[in-house]
Amino acid sequence: AQRVTQPEKLLSVFKGAPVELKCNYSYSGSPELFWYVQYSRQRLQLLLRHISRESIKGFTADLNKGETSFHLKKPFAQEEDSAMYYCARTFSGGYNKLIFGAGTRLAVHP
Amino acid sequence: GAGVSQSPSNKVTEKGKDVELRCDPISGHTALYWYRQSLGQGLEFLIYFQGNSAPDKSGLPSDRFSAERTGGSVSTLTIQRTQQEDSAVYLCASSLVQGYSYEQYFGPGTRLTVT
C-alpha cells in the first residue's frame, strides 16, 4: 500500500533549537513529496515541495530516495512555527491525488 | 483571487438527520478532493473528482456518504442518517492538474457536530 509515515505525533522544542520533523514514504514509482502546514485557526496550506528545492520560512526538506524519507528541517525554531505539519506524496496509479501522513504537531516554547 | 470556499462553516445536527456540505473550488481547477479530519487524527481521504467524474471513491467510509460534482465546479458531500462518529471537520481541496503540479489548495473546512 502507498503510505506516508510521520512517526511523531508531537515534537516539542525551545525557541532557537533545531527542528527535524520526520517523514517516510512507501516506495512506489517516483512520487512528488510535499509538506503542508496548518497554523492555529487557519486553513491547511502548502509549505514546500521537493521538486522546487526551495526554502520557505527557513524550512528545508531533502528527498532521500535510498531511505525513502523527506524530513523537514529548520536550524533555529521560532514560536510562530508552532503548527500542525503534514507530509504528503503523490499517488502512483494514474490518479492525481495526494496521500497524507497523520501529521506532527510542532510546539515551540519561549 | 478567491480561494476554495466551503459552507456552512459549522453544522450541528441531530443523529439520524441528513446533512449536505458544499465546496466551491478555485475557478478552473479540474480536480477536487474531500477529506475528513477527526479530532486528534490526520487527514482521511474520502473522494476525488476529476471534472464531474469520481474515479476514486475509496475513502468513503460507508454507503451513507455520497458526493457529486456538477458543471466541473461546485461539489456537495452528503451524509445520510448521520451518526456521532461522523463528527469531524470536512475539508475540501482543489488543484489545477497540469504537468507535475499537484498542489492542493484547501478550504477552511466545515465543522460537523452530530448530537
Side-chain angles (χ1 to χ4, degrees):
Chain A
Q2 298 181 39
R3 61 171 62 92
V4 174
T5 303
Q6 294 180 251
E8 302 140 329
K9 283 193 173 182
L10 172 66
L11 185 62
S12 187
V13 301
F14 287 103
K15 177 182 173 181
V19 167
E20 182 178 73
L21 289 86
K22 291 183 167 48
C23 172
N24 288 90
Y25 63 95
S26 58
Y27 178 74
S28 180
S30 298
E32 186 174 353
L33 278 297
F34 302 83
W35 276 99
Y36 279 79
V37 61
Q38 188 170 28
Y39 300 102
S40 179
R41 290 184 290 278
Q42 293 187 28
R43 64 182 68 189
L44 196 61
Q45 58 187 282
L46 179 68
L47 179 62
L48 55 80
R49 62 207 302 175
H50 93 270
I51 202 168
S52 301
R53 297 181 180 276
E54 58 200 346
S55 173
I56 302 293
K57 298 184 179 182
F59 284 97
T60 59
D62 292 321
L63 180 63
N64 185 323
K65 292 185 178 180
E67 296 182 356
T68 59
S69 68
F70 189 55
H71 304 326
L72 183 67
K73 300 177 184 179
K74 185 169 183 177
F76 307 103
Q78 303 299 314
E79 289 179 69
E80 55 266 30
D81 296 328
S82 296
M84 195 73 184
Y85 291 80
Y86 294 94
C87 182
R89 61 158 287 169
T90 49
F91 176 81
S92 296
Y95 297 145
N96 303 315
K97 70 175 183 179
L98 295 179
I99 300 169
F100 285 84
T104 297
R105 178 166 298 283
L106 174 64
V108 182
H109 304 285
Chain B
V4 177
S5 60
Q6 293 185 245
S7 61
S9 54
N10 278 286
K11 176 71 177 179
V12 180
T13 189
E14 292 180 354
K15 177 181 172 182
K17 295 282 180 68
D18 298 351
V19 295
E20 282 189 356
L21 311 180
R22 176 189 167 105
C23 172
D24 205 336
I26 293 173
S27 178
H29 280 195
T30 57
L32 186 147
Y33 313 81
W34 283 99
Y35 296 89
R36 181 167 71 175
Q37 192 175 31
S38 302
L39 187 63
Q41 303 293 317
L43 282 158
E44 177 187 9
F45 168 78
L46 297 179
I47 188 170
Y48 152 64
F49 286 92
Q50 180 59 44
N52 289 338
S53 64
D56 191 345
K57 305 179 183 179
S58 62
L60 295 178
S62 75
D63 58 8
R64 296 186 296 105
F65 287 72
S66 63
E68 65 176 14
R69 188 180 185 195
T70 55
S73 182
V74 172
S75 176
T76 303
L77 177 69
T78 301
I79 309 173
Q80 296 179 310
R81 306 181 302 281
T82 52
Q83 304 294 312
Q84 288 187 331
E85 60 263 28
D86 299 334
S87 296
V89 176
Y90 289 82
L91 294 172
C92 175
S94 70
S95 67
L96 178 63
V97 179
Q98 187 173 25
Y100 290 103
S101 174
Y102 297 99
E103 178 178 352
Q104 295 187 13
Y105 295 83
F106 282 82
T110 293
R111 181 175 298 279
L112 175 65
T113 304
V114 182
T115 61

